[in-house]
Amino acid sequence: MLNIIRKNGVILAIFAAITTGLTAIIHEVTKPAIQDQRSLTRQNLLDQVLPSKLYNNNLQSSCYIIRNPELGDNIEHRLYIAKKDEKPVAVALETTASNGYSGNIKIIVGANFNGLIYGARVLEHHETPGLGDKIELRLSNWINSFHDKIVDKHHIANFAVKKDGGDFDQFTGATITPRAVVNAVKNNTLFIKTLPETIPHLKKCNKNTEE
């Protein structure tokens, strides 16, 4: 009986070792492809908020980490600096709208240091399907309404939903979500305008953060 138990134990141990080994091999073989796909996905997103003609550096290699309550929370956010001949000209910066109808809405905004917005995209949200989820590009073009808008302190009241006296449409039956996004994009762009003096002190993304 003991011999049978030992035999089965050895078989299970060998099977576990083989399975673990195969899993490790598969992980190492597929890791480059997964990383390449992540890089392509990230670049596609960055291209949507920062036109490639603006810069001639490797945008993904110019990734930094920033933490500031003005970005909607106190967690680390990624920031990508677009440079033209080594001179910073624009930024793609993640931010959080913490007052969405169903919680936090994660956003990325591309803008220059004069307050001109090149684009904005929603990265993650939990808004109501059929109502608040129209902030997604796949469901509505609403998010494109930020394109080429300027955040100017002299006309700051215009950067709001129409229900609040601003220029941006709200959704039928859902004002809280677009209001949260508009305010987050506005605050993020104002924050980007303050970045030139901060850039030399920013922390670079590490490999794990970039992934």
Side-chain angles (χ1 to χ4, degrees), residues 34-176:
I34 293 172
Q35 289 177 337
D36 286 347
Q37 187 57 47
R38 283 176 177 166
S39 180
L40 287 172
T41 300
R42 190 181 300 119
Q43 188 60 51
N44 179 56
L45 177 65
L46 291 170
D47 287 342
Q48 293 179 53
V49 299
L50 281 179
S52 58
K53 64 182 180 182
L54 287 176
Y55 59 92
N56 54 17
N57 65 312
N58 184 326
L59 199 55
Q60 293 192 53
S61 296
S62 191
C63 175
Y64 296 82
I65 292 297
I66 192 165
R67 186 199 300 263
N68 194 296
E70 292 185 38
L71 299 177
D73 50 34
N74 200 33
I75 67 172
E76 291 186 338
H77 291 273
R78 283 189 295 264
L79 176 155
Y80 299 88
I81 301 176
K83 298 178 182 179
K84 189 75 169 182
D85 300 329
E86 298 301 317
K87 180 183 178 181
V89 293
V91 161
L93 176 59
E94 295 176 356
T95 190
T96 300
S98 58
N99 51 353
Y101 183 79
S102 300
N104 289 349
I105 302 170
K106 296 184 183 299
I107 305 165
I108 187 168
V109 178
N112 68 16
F113 303 117
N114 295 315
L116 174 63
I117 300 171
Y118 296 110
R121 289 292 182 271
V122 172
L123 301 174
E124 181 183 327
H125 73 89
H126 305 284
E127 300 302 283
T128 308
L131 292 173
D133 62 348
K134 293 176 184 176
I135 55 177
E136 289 185 50
L137 182 61
R138 68 183 182 86
L139 298 174
S140 163
N141 282 325
W142 180 84
I143 197 71
N144 285 328
S145 58
F146 296 106
H147 181 70
D148 283 344
K149 290 289 192 299
I150 297 176
V151 179
D152 187 329
K153 64 180 180 180
H154 300 296
H155 304 94
I156 203 72
N158 294 337
F159 215 94
V161 294
K162 289 180 178 177
K163 192 171 184 178
D164 298 333
D167 296 335
F168 295 89
D169 291 329
Q170 59 265 346
F171 308 143
T172 302
T175 301
I176 293 175

Side-chain angles (χ1 to χ4, degrees), residues 25-39:
I25 291 170
I26 291 170
H27 174 73
E28 288 303 315
V29 169
T30 59
K31 188 176 180 180
I34 293 172
Q35 289 177 337
D36 286 347
Q37 187 57 47
R38 283 176 177 166
S39 180

